[in-house]
Amino acid sequence: MRRMGKDRTILILGSLAAVMVLVTGWLWLSRGEADPFAPCRKGVAQGGLDGLGAPFELTDQNGRRVSDRQVLAKPALLYFGYTYCPDVCPLDSARNAEAVAMLEEQGMQVTPVFISVDPKRDTPEVLRDFAGAMHERMIGLTGTAAEIDAVSKAWRNYYKLNDQEDPENYLVDHMTNTYLVIPGSGTVELFGRELSAQDLAERAACFIDAASSTGV
């Protein structure tokens, strides 16, 4: 009986040791999987940020076909809108351009990107004038209706052309998020239009610093 008790004690102690090894290993691994951008986040996007974005090929304001690898080679503030927008898009784009200028003063070069959700009217020539008025490095992108639809879905961006009654002078319903895309990390955050240029620059800088310091 004494021998059986000793064996049972050894078995229990061995089991506990195995559990401790597993827990320690899990904790060590979980540290490596921690979100490096957690200190920069203010909330959680509906549906999360995983899977946002996809490879694309569109036409820029100079009529050249460009890929996502070219456009998003540096950190970028990505916005979906249209140049005929009477108020929201110009204001948001100007805010983004101002934030880019602030970030540049801190030594961070960020690309402002404007993807049109109105390809019928937003030709490369129209985008050239719009982007040039916002920022010298802004990239304006357009494409076929199918291409714009695909890239919008990749970023879960909603838009709807209200051109049923007037095919010339119509408005477009669309989301107004600005996405922060960092090479190697993908889309790391989205910002609402309520942020000022200063707030946007400060929050974007946090993510860019984190990506640089952790190598993600």
Side-chain angles (χ1 to χ4, degrees), residues 121-145:
R121 293 183 296 186
D122 282 341
T123 63
E125 293 77 17
V126 171
L127 282 174
R128 187 185 309 133
D129 291 339
F130 180 86
M134 293 296 171
H135 194 281
E136 61 182 4
R137 291 191 293 102
M138 179 174 282
I139 298 176
L141 297 173
T142 187
T144 66

Side-chain angles (χ1 to χ4, degrees), residues 13-196:
L13 290 175
S15 299
L16 288 174
V19 170
M20 288 299 296
V21 169
L22 289 173
V23 170
T24 302
W26 177 83
L27 289 172
W28 185 84
L29 288 172
S30 65
R31 286 177 57 193
E33 296 175 356
D35 181 5
F37 304 114
C40 305
R41 300 195 190 282
K42 300 296 183 181
V44 179
Q46 185 175 3
L49 297 173
D50 291 343
L52 274 184
F56 62 77
E57 187 173 294
L58 297 171
T59 302
D60 71 8
Q61 70 264 41
N62 297 309
R64 298 175 302 198
R65 295 292 285 178
V66 293
S67 69
D68 58 293
R69 293 188 302 275
Q70 295 168 294
V71 174
L72 306 176
K74 297 178 180 179
L77 290 178
L78 175 65
Y79 183 85
F80 291 87
Y82 67 112
T83 66
Y84 286 77
C85 181
D87 45 22
V88 173
C89 300
L91 290 174
D92 289 353
S93 297
R95 186 276 310 266
N96 289 355
E98 186 178 353
V100 165
M102 293 177 179
L103 288 165
E104 196 158 8
E105 292 176 356
Q106 302 177 47
M108 300 178 183
Q109 192 169 67
V110 178
T111 306
V113 180
F114 182 91
I115 299 182
S116 173
V117 293
D118 185 17
K120 182 168 63 175
R121 293 183 296 186
D122 282 341
T123 63
E125 293 77 17
V126 171
L127 282 174
R128 187 185 309 133
D129 291 339
F130 180 86
M134 293 296 171
H135 194 281
E136 61 182 4
R137 291 191 293 102
M138 179 174 282
I139 298 176
L141 297 173
T142 187
T144 66
E147 289 170 342
I148 296 302
D149 189 46
V151 74
S152 291
K153 286 181 179 178
W155 266 274
R156 298 202 292 265
N157 172 71
Y158 166 83
Y159 75 98
K160 178 184 178 183
L161 277 65
N162 299 303
D163 58 351
Q164 296 82 9
E165 296 181 2
D166 188 343
E168 298 296 330
N169 303 300
Y170 56 87
L171 298 177
V172 181
D173 299 331
H174 66 93
M175 295 173 66
T176 58
N177 296 317
T178 292
Y179 303 85
L180 176 60
V181 186
I182 298 178
S185 300
T187 303
V188 297
E189 186 61 295
L190 55 86
F191 305 113
R193 65 184 314 267
E194 75 281 356
L195 290 181
S196 66

